[in-house]
Amino acid sequence: DDTKLLERFLRYYLSIQDFEKDPLESDDLYQTFYKFYNFKLRYQKPEDIIKHIYQYSKYFMMLVTNDFHGDIAEYVKRINDLDVEKAYPFLMEVTEDYEKQLVTPEIFCEILKTIEMFILNHMQSQAEYSAQSFLELSKNISKMLISGNMTSS
């Protein structure tokens, strides 16, 4: 259902924006988006806000439809098969880095492999993970990228 897909995207997009409250838990997505948009209008032109939303909607659809090739497609498929919605905000950000060529295909695969292992470890230990868990993972991966400690193999 397209409405559910749009709702999922907006929740993930808003959670990336770190706006006010957790949109993944919000009951009133419309109100949260309305506040976010009006807040952004203070600093950005409407067309810039819409362009950014559109760009992230493309990343979201690339993940949902697995619009990748080779090893990347295999990792995205495996992550999608695990059905872990809370990983999508982070995955959208990583996809942006890949699309902007800030990370190589090899590094992108390493990041996806790390995410998959993170999910599987949490599933095996039956520990709860949250969007916050992926935020922490994101920070750790960013540190590894900056320091050059993430290897491609």
Side-chain angles (χ1 to χ4, degrees):
D1 178 344
D2 290 343
T3 304
K4 291 289 184 195
L5 198 59
L6 176 62
E7 182 179 310
R8 283 174 47 209
F9 164 70
L10 287 174
R11 286 186 191 284
Y12 304 149
Y13 178 78
L14 289 170
S15 72
I16 292 167
Q17 300 305 307
D18 195 26
F19 183 73
E20 202 172 287
K21 60 183 178 179
D22 186 357
L24 296 175
E25 306 298 327
S26 173
D27 290 332
D28 193 349
L29 182 60
Y30 169 78
Q31 193 63 23
T32 303
F33 181 79
Y34 180 79
K35 287 178 185 175
F36 160 78
Y37 185 77
N38 283 310
F39 175 78
K40 287 291 188 177
L41 282 175
R42 296 182 201 166
Y43 309 102
Q44 296 177 5
K45 295 184 272 186
E47 56 270 16
D48 292 337
I49 299 167
I50 298 302
K51 282 180 189 175
H52 194 259
I53 293 169
Y54 174 71
Q55 197 60 47
Y56 266 79
S57 72
K58 288 179 15 182
Y59 304 145
F60 173 73
M61 289 308 296
M62 287 173 71
L63 291 162
V64 168
T65 63
N66 195 0
D67 188 16
F68 296 96
H69 303 285
D71 290 341
I72 294 171
E74 182 58 34
Y75 281 114
V76 170
K77 180 190 179 313
R78 289 175 11 196
I79 290 170
N80 282 342
D81 288 347
L82 292 171
D83 196 29
V84 182
E85 293 278 319
K86 291 180 180 178
Y88 264 65
F90 175 62
L91 289 170
M92 288 162 56
E93 290 183 302
V94 173
T95 301
E96 177 183 40
D97 290 344
Y98 173 69
E99 286 295 301
K100 289 184 173 184
Q101 299 180 346
L102 299 174
V103 296
T104 64
E106 296 79 17
I107 297 295
F108 191 37
C109 282
E110 287 295 318
I111 293 169
L112 293 170
K113 186 164 74 173
T114 301
I115 293 167
E116 180 187 29
M117 288 187 304
F118 177 81
I119 294 166
L120 290 172
N121 286 339
H122 273 76
M123 286 178 159
Q124 288 174 353
S125 69
Q126 296 181 336
E128 265 306 301
Y129 52 83
S130 64
Q132 185 65 30
S133 302
F134 287 102
L135 178 61
E136 291 167 18
L137 179 63
S138 171
K139 288 178 184 174
N140 289 335
I141 289 174
S142 293
K143 286 179 192 174
M144 290 166 53
L145 285 169
I146 290 168
S147 69
N149 285 341
M150 182 164 273
T151 61
S152 59
S153 50

